[in-house]
Amino acid sequence: MVSMGAEEGFAHTKERQRAMLEVLYSTVGELPASVEILQSLAGGCMNDEATNLVRKGGVYVLSMARWGDDAWYGVAGELDCLFEVGADGLIYSHSRYEGFTKYDNKPLPELWSDIVYLSEHPALTSGLAMQLRQGANGWAAIVTRGIVTNGPNRLQTEYGGEVNSYSFEVLEQLSFMDSPPPTEIYLEEPYSLLTIGNEYIVCGSGATPYYVATVDGDGRIAIPHELFNSEYNDSAFVFAQGMSLDELRVAMADICAYYGVE
């Protein structure tokens, strides 16, 4: 959720700053006239953290997420970026990242139109997009369609944990990386209940745990409950639930084109 608001007041707790924001407008439906947010006060992290807490009277463009059933919100990526709008209507990103600093000294509508575009194209902000962008930065995020032919076999990881290994017959490499597709895939328990002979779409690299989705009999992408994992599987393919393979191919092409992934 992205909204622009002016802080009406704030209070410090031992570990967080709590602030009330007046909501001016949002990219998503109706919001309350004001919302309460919590921001971390932890130091030693990154970027412009000294100024990355909202201040009274400031006007901001915030990416916010509601915390479960609680009435308060958190700011997503608050130490990476905090878009502030000056009295002249220009943006200050409070960031060192080029993807954010490119908006510095630009008028608010320029940023807002890009935010609206992203909100209307969920593939571009999906976990799969994040994986492909990491691949563009040197980490071989490979998305592959294939069939499990053997497994599971228990393996020790270099960090002392264990994973289940499955042999994987590649049917199609869906991503655009130069790296060869995997012939083995790795999953952590209890999120590793794959069936020999079934078709899956996987995303990952090497011996790290993979993101997994199934391909049903109608050629549609699904994520069974037993393959959900808040750390590994919850984000990569959720946006593609119910898509056809052709729709996923289009979405991946859109991701790569938007972020300049070869």
Side-chain angles (χ1 to χ4, degrees), residues 39 46-48 52 61-63 75-84 91-97 99-101 103-104 111:
Q39 289 183 281
M46 62 186 76
N47 306 326
D48 195 14
N52 267 23
V61 179
L62 302 176
S63 177
V75 179
E78 62 188 85
L79 295 181
D80 294 325
C81 179
L82 185 73
F83 287 120
E84 184 168 2
I91 296 293
Y92 172 42
S93 66
H94 294 269
S95 180
R96 70 178 182 184
Y97 288 112
F100 296 140
T101 59
Y103 294 104
D104 286 347
L111 168 64

Side-chain angles (χ1 to χ4, degrees), residues 5-11 17-24 32-37 54-60 62:
E7 187 191 1
E8 294 185 327
F10 64 92
Q17 173 178 286
R18 182 170 55 201
M20 291 297 298
L21 302 183
E22 176 191 355
V23 176
L24 302 181
S34 62
V35 296
E36 184 177 24
I37 67 167
V54 295
R55 58 183 176 77
K56 187 173 183 179
V59 178
Y60 302 92
L62 302 176

Side-chain angles (χ1 to χ4, degrees), residues 141-147 168-175 179-183 185 200-204 210-211 213 215 237 252:
I142 304 169
V143 182
T144 309
R145 181 172 68 92
I147 296 174
F168 195 63
E169 177 186 344
V170 175
L171 299 177
E172 177 184 8
Q173 185 165 339
L174 293 166
S175 57
S179 302
T183 57
I185 59 175
Y200 296 93
I201 295 175
V202 301
C203 175
Y210 277 62
Y211 299 84
V215 181
F237 291 112
M252 290 186 60

